[in-house]
Amino acid sequence: MLELFGFPGGIKPDSHKEESAGTPIRQAPLPPLLVVPFRQSATGGVDIRVKAGERVLKGQCIGSAEGPFGTCVHAPTSGTVIAIEARTLPHPSALAAPCAIIEADGADAWRERVPLDAYSADPETVRSRIREAGIVGLGGAVFPSHVKMNARIDTLVINGAECEPWITCDDRLMRERAPMIVAGAAIIRHLMGAKRVLFGIEDNKPDAAAAMRTALQTAGHPEMQVVTVPTRYPAGGEKQLIHVLTGIEIPYGKLGPDFGVQCFNVGTAHAVARAVLHDEPLISRIVTLAGNYAWPGNVETLIGTPIDALLALGEPKPDTDRIVMGGPMMGFVLPDTSLPVVKATNCLLAMSPTLFPPPPPEMPCIRCGACTRACPMLLQPHELYWYARSKNFGKTQEYHLFDCIECGCCAYVCPAHIPLVDYYRFAKSEIRAREREKAAADRARERYEFRKYREEREKAEKAARLAAKAAETKAKLAQEGAAAVIAAAQSRAHPEGKDEA
């Protein structure tokens, strides 16, 4: 029996898992038009490899990774790229970014696929396959997975906690596709040299835990173990789950591998297996349709599918007033439901005034300390709130603003109904913007100083060349003058026509 550890803070909201977890995963129909953003994660860029009018096959790379943190982007189906243009992304910033608009031909024809034996191939080859397959963390962070695999660890944690209310895509994945999750975890363990693998699953998912145990028993992995953890939000946070399972507390500024542990989502492990064993890049994902739907459930859909097409499968009820991407704790309201599904789209939560009443008016903070007691990161949310509100961003950083995981526990328990996380996000965005401006100013100053140094250097070199030339001329003239004096003296000593004897 594995000893479990608690984590500070946290809350226990109604889980609402049963509404969407009771039916099998449905396959979404192939849409006639897909919008595939070339930027699927916050790290790294993409080199666009297709042009408008070009025909593509399913799984074909249309954007290659730039830099060590980049991941590739692929065509979700076969068809024709009819345009490459900037489209608004489903992101809290609502910014636009280049997207490939693909008109599906209906054939859904794959490119050639070459499976890879992960255990006989060079580990670097396997990591390259995972990077080229565009695998990112499917728990919501969408951080490039190949970067997290470039370390040696003792313990591998596979995150099946799925603590956010209403979301059940990981639950259904574990129930229906446990063998592939185990295969993916085995590949990751092989790459990172982990001695043990712990599957952390909240105890409100007994069917998922049973399916995973059966898969482990069938596959014969004695080094792997399914561990049910108490249901408590945010137990699915990476640092919280590692703490619960291993007792290891990862401080701010440190990473799991610094302590011999690394964490991956169950969806990521499943995607790794598909990429390595079947050469299938990450072109689809499971999305939960929960909330105010006539037909809630989970749908497997292609990346780039218009969200409107998925909403039609769930049939939002007439009183639906907004759609949230993600859960009620960490999600955000979509500005437009015509936006495409991206790799980070784990849930489309339909909200109504009945299910999710508008929050009461915000009142002044009374410093009751409820937010501090609920914070799982041991921060002081009320202090962060005051400093963020007064735009004293230096103090917010002193109070470890960037250690905040934006889980929303503080706002959930706040009796003054202050949207605390909104203030933290505002402060973070302002600090990042100022850092970008400072970095740009630093680069401009460096360019100016280098140009000034170069001009002074060239001026000094020119002066040195002129001085050398003058010295050379002077020496030549002096030499010519001396020769003339000698010649004159010789002339005087030996007048023309007079016999020297």
Side-chain angles (χ1 to χ4, degrees):
M1 180 70 71
L2 186 75
E3 180 185 3
L4 297 180
F5 302 83
F7 63 88
I11 56 176
K12 292 196 71 171
D14 292 336
S15 62
H16 290 283
K17 300 286 189 181
E18 63 281 2
E19 285 91 335
S20 59
T23 56
I25 298 170
R26 289 180 284 170
Q27 188 69 44
L30 177 65
L33 205 68
L34 296 105
V35 178
V36 185
F38 285 104
R39 192 174 189 86
Q40 293 280 346
S41 70
T43 59
V46 170
D47 180 21
I48 300 174
R49 297 176 56 178
V50 291
K51 298 178 182 177
E54 187 172 336
R55 175 172 165 72
V56 293
L57 293 174
K58 183 175 185 176
Q60 178 180 332
C61 181
I62 60 175
S64 57
E66 284 185 337
F69 294 95
T71 55
C72 298
V73 179
H74 304 81
T77 187
S78 59
T80 303
V81 179
I82 61 173
I84 294 176
E85 59 190 29
R87 293 284 187 96
T88 303
L89 301 184
H91 186 270
S93 68
L95 294 175
C99 299
I101 317 301
I102 300 176
E103 185 177 50
D105 60 10
D108 210 27
W110 272 96
R111 60 156 170 75
E112 182 183 3
R113 285 175 284 174
V114 182
L116 183 66
D117 185 346
Y119 303 100
S120 62
D122 177 71
E124 192 55 40
T125 302
V126 181
R127 274 189 285 269
S128 296
R129 166 65 67 89
I130 292 170
R131 183 190 187 199
E132 291 164 2
I135 307 299
V136 294
L138 295 179
V142 291
F143 187 80
S145 298
H146 67 277
V147 179
K148 294 178 66 175
M149 294 177 191
N150 196 23
R152 304 293 290 180
I153 57 172
D154 293 324
T155 302
L156 172 63
V157 172
I158 302 297
N159 190 345
E162 198 171 49
C163 59
E164 178 106 10
W166 295 91
I167 305 177
T168 58
C169 55
D170 289 348
D171 186 358
R172 289 305 319 185
L173 182 72
M174 289 186 284
R175 292 195 207 185
E176 300 181 34
R177 303 176 188 178
M180 283 294 282
I181 298 173
V182 172
I187 293 171
I188 299 171
R189 171 185 173 271
H190 173 69
L191 291 176
M192 305 190 73
K195 297 174 183 173
R196 63 172 180 169
V197 181
L198 302 176
F199 291 82
I201 303 172
E202 280 193 334
D203 56 14
N204 62 355
K205 306 176 188 62
D207 294 340
M212 292 301 302
R213 287 194 178 96
T214 301
L216 287 181
Q217 189 174 11
T218 303
H221 287 291
E223 76 285 359
M224 298 187 184
Q225 182 180 359
V226 172
V227 184
T228 53
V229 300
T231 298
R232 186 173 183 81
Y233 180 83
E238 182 173 299
K239 290 185 177 181
Q240 283 70 37
L241 186 59
I242 289 174
H243 187 198
V244 169
L245 293 176
T246 66
I248 298 172
E249 294 184 51
I250 302 175
Y252 176 67
K254 295 291 183 180
L255 300 174
D258 296 331
F259 300 88
V261 61
Q262 188 59 287
C263 182
F264 292 89
N265 179 265
V266 289
T268 309
H270 183 264
V272 166
R274 291 177 66 168
V276 175
L277 304 179
H278 303 293
D279 194 12
E280 294 180 4
L282 184 53
I283 55 174
S284 66
R285 70 154 299 144
I286 299 170
V287 179
T288 298
L289 302 177
N292 200 39
Y293 289 98
W295 306 101
N298 286 277
V299 181
E300 183 167 19
T301 186
L302 296 175
I303 304 298
T305 300
I307 287 174
D308 278 332
L310 291 187
L311 298 182
L313 297 177
E315 296 183 17
K317 296 178 181 176
D319 59 338
T320 299
D321 59 354
R322 57 200 186 279
I323 300 294
V324 168
M325 187 173 116
M329 303 299 294
M330 300 185 71
F332 62 95
V333 177
L334 288 171
D336 183 357
T337 55
S338 67
L339 304 181
V341 170
V342 294
K343 294 177 183 179
T345 308
N346 57 356
C347 178
L348 296 171
L349 183 62
M351 308 187 88
S352 69
T354 304
L355 277 179
F356 300 93
E362 179 180 337
M363 295 185 292
C365 173
I366 57 174
R367 293 183 180 272
C368 63
C371 54
T372 301
R373 292 190 292 275
C375 179
M377 299 303 293
L378 297 176
L379 302 178
Q380 298 183 47
H382 61 287
E383 298 287 2
L384 288 172
Y385 160 69
W386 284 112
Y387 289 125
R389 179 170 177 163
S390 61
K391 299 184 180 180
N392 190 344
F393 301 127
K395 294 294 288 187
T396 61
Q397 289 180 283
E398 287 183 19
Y399 278 83
H400 307 291
L401 171 68
F402 285 95
D403 214 7
C404 171
I405 59 175
E406 302 179 13
C407 63
C409 289
C410 54
Y412 183 84
V413 300
C414 178
H417 313 298
I418 301 173
L420 293 163
V421 178
D422 291 348
Y423 285 95
Y424 309 150
R425 287 173 176 163
F426 164 73
K428 287 180 179 180
S429 63
E430 285 293 309
I431 292 171
R432 290 187 180 118
R434 294 183 182 191
E435 288 177 345
R436 284 195 296 269
E437 292 174 1
K438 182 178 182 301
D442 289 344
R443 288 195 296 271
R445 186 180 66 255
E446 290 173 0
R447 287 196 299 270
Y448 169 76
E449 290 176 349
F450 179 75
R451 188 182 67 181
K452 188 177 177 182
Y453 161 76
R454 186 189 63 199
E455 290 174 349
E456 291 177 350
R457 185 192 64 192
E458 292 175 350
K459 185 178 179 181
E461 291 174 350
K462 184 178 180 180
R465 287 197 302 271
L466 292 174
K469 185 70 175 176
E472 182 183 353
T473 304
K474 185 177 180 180
K476 186 177 180 181
L477 291 174
Q479 188 177 11
E480 291 176 354
V485 171
I486 293 172
Q490 288 176 341
S491 178
R492 288 192 300 273
H494 305 288
E496 186 178 359
K498 188 177 180 178
D499 191 320
E500 185 175 350

